[in-house]
Amino acid sequence: MMTEDRLYSKDHEWILPLGENLVRIGITEYAVKQLGDVVYVEVPEVDAEVSAGGEIGTVESIKSASEIFSPVTGIIIAVNEELEDGPELVNASPFEEGWFAEIQLENPIELQGLLTEEQYKTYIAELAAEEEA
Amino acid sequence: MGEELKQTPLFNYYKENNVKLMDFGGWALPIQFSSIIDEHQSVRTYAGLFDVSHMGEILVKGNDSEAFLNYLLTNDVSKMKNGQAQYNAIVNENGGTIDDLIIFKLDEKGYLVTPNASNSDRVFQWMEKHLTGDVVLENKSEEIGLLALQGPHAERILQKLANNDLSKIKPFHFVQHIELKNLSPVLISRTGYTGEDGFELYLEAGETEKLWHLLLEAGAEEGLQPCGLGARDTLRLEASLSLYGNELSDDISPLQGGIGFAVKTKKEADFIGKAALTAQLKSGVDKKIKGLKLVGKGIARHGYKVFAENGSEIGVVTSGTKSPTLGDSIALALLTTTGSDVGTNVKVEIRNKLVDAVIVQTPFYKRESKNKL
């Protein structure tokens, strides 16, 4: 399901460029698999300012709560309100319907520091190997 | 992962089937096979199979077994008949809980005691320390495997493997030496930890995997699913069954921890902790496990603080989850007794936000009784 037009963070978010300085973010299948059944999602508020690496929400599974970190700096211009009543969308469709928020970028150059699909795949393969060992 | 963690008899099966294992109190066990919610619902609707071989098993034998256990435990062991199981607590002199456990009366001179996995060694040492009279202890934890078959279809499934009539085993009773197919004798108890009807099957560790497969095969038509400890936790929480390390601990007495029904201060025998527990009963406990339902959004987790509406801190969440059966966000919390009546509005601090909650009656979930009484 990963697509080449997306970028990825080491915190397992995907970043989809939507237009000029605008991105949509969500969490990857790898993250969802680690979490298990998602039962609650706390999204940020529209108009909130976020900085790269800062916390912008929480995804809760039955077993644990995991923070979502913003991979970029900017302003939240939309959040996925469907998640409020349908947190399971994150499990069912992490790359599409389970998207998290849209951010107007302040420093578009930050995107260059993110991983390409290929780099991200290598990264999660390494994580899997570490876990096996 | 795996080397440093203790393994149950199903460890090789998990590895061969790529079942993801987690560190569960020092044991390598699956949190889930497919999804916690699916497994949970399967137990409520059909049946689920759990590997609970990490639980401890201690044999207590000898002429003075009853007197010894009655001195060590809070419930009245003298009331037990052969073939009966009893929920019990073992406490220290201050009334703090060392463990909660089930004891099985095998015969006039023998009991099987099943402590929690993480407390098994501690309970054994405590027993050794207080050993009196003609009593011999044997720690059988590594030799015995334990599977739990839980859910409304449990009896129907297990009956396919057994010749004797399982409907005759009443709740909190058990039968020894049952032959299931060509396995060595199995002890089958009508006990469990899910709020559903079900059985727990004690057998030779080396045969656990065989029984696992036999049961899964027998239960395929009845919707039986292998379940991990994640579902076990959500099921027991819906049924408001206290868990050691959460609702019970060294600092929480059985009276505070929601298992007061297992404390018999009026029994004839003296027992360790009796004075402390009697005093608590007399003056009333200062804090107690209560049920919470969140009105606002979020999930109340272990360790989160609870506040009264006037802002004063009144306790702490001991377990919390989103209830797969009810859809609500539920929690158990240790709260000051005063001002914690059912219906009281409180607030739970979730990530620096105060979220509305209400104190509710427990259990959150109770199955409809199908047993004729």
Side-chain angles (χ1 to χ4, degrees), chain B residues 150-353:
Chain B
Q150 301 279 299
H153 292 181
E155 184 185 295
R156 212 186 306 166
I157 294 165
L158 190 56
Q159 192 63 70
K160 292 183 188 177
L161 305 179
N163 291 323
N164 42 329
D165 183 359
L166 296 174
S167 68
K168 291 198 172 138
I169 309 179
K170 287 183 286 181
F172 268 78
H173 285 72
F174 68 95
V175 183
Q176 297 183 76
H177 314 303
I178 297 211
E179 277 184 36
L180 296 178
K181 296 291 173 184
N182 51 358
L183 296 175
S184 306
V186 180
L187 185 155
I188 299 182
S189 65
R190 199 151 201 153
T191 50
Y193 195 51
T194 58
E196 294 300 325
D197 183 23
F199 300 90
E200 292 183 303
L201 303 107
Y202 294 80
L203 77 167
E204 276 180 29
E207 304 220 296
T208 314
E209 189 179 334
K210 254 196 253 174
L211 179 58
W212 178 264
H213 288 294
L214 280 171
L215 286 167
L216 283 182
E217 210 175 297
E221 282 177 11
E222 271 80 13
L224 176 66
Q225 272 199 42
C227 298
L229 295 176
R232 192 170 157 85
D233 194 49
T234 52
L235 288 158
R236 71 94 195 165
L237 184 49
E238 281 184 354
S240 298
L241 299 167
S242 293
L243 175 64
Y244 197 86
N246 294 50
E247 287 72 39
L248 294 164
S249 76
D250 286 29
D251 301 322
I252 307 174
S253 82
L255 298 170
Q256 296 168 327
I259 58 165
F261 60 89
V263 177
K264 304 284 159 62
T265 51
K266 288 190 177 140
K267 71 178 176 182
E268 246 174 71
D270 187 22
F271 66 95
I272 299 172
K274 181 179 176 179
L277 294 177
T278 306
Q280 280 186 20
L281 273 176
K282 206 174 158 197
S283 59
V285 288
D286 53 343
K287 50 186 181 177
K288 203 170 180 193
I289 292 294
K290 298 275 180 171
L292 294 182
K293 193 171 103 177
L294 263 63
V295 179
K297 302 274 179 195
I299 291 167
R301 298 199 184 267
H302 179 90
Y304 288 8
K305 290 176 179 172
V306 182
F307 294 87
E309 282 207 308
N310 68 9
S312 62
E313 192 175 329
I314 54 165
V316 64
V317 173
T318 51
S319 299
T321 194
K322 177 152 176 196
S323 158
T325 306
L326 310 166
D328 296 321
S329 190
I330 57 170
L332 292 172
L334 188 64
L335 303 182
T336 53
T337 318
T338 3
S340 295
D341 295 335
V342 167
T344 307
N345 292 323
V346 296
K347 290 179 190 293
V348 180
E349 189 181 72
I350 301 179
R351 291 184 291 278
N352 301 321
K353 268 185 254 174

Side-chain angles (χ1 to χ4, degrees), chain A residues 16 31-32 34 59 113:
Chain A
L16 175 68
V32 170
Q34 297 292 316
V59 178

Side-chain angles (χ1 to χ4, degrees), chain B residues 5 25 39 72 97 115 121 125 186 264 295 305 340 354 357 373:
Chain B
L5 295 175
E39 290 165 22
L72 235 55
T97 314
D121 291 340
Q125 283 157 15
V186 180
K264 304 284 159 62
V295 179
K305 290 176 179 172
S340 295
L354 290 176
L373 292 172

Side-chain angles (χ1 to χ4, degrees), chain A residues 7 10 12 29 34 46 50-51 63 66 87 91 95 99 103:
Chain A
L7 296 164
K10 286 196 170 180
H12 308 290
E29 229 156 31
Q34 297 292 316
V46 173
V50 298
S51 50
K63 291 307 289 179
S66 310
N91 290 107
F95 283 92
W99 65 277
I103 301 174

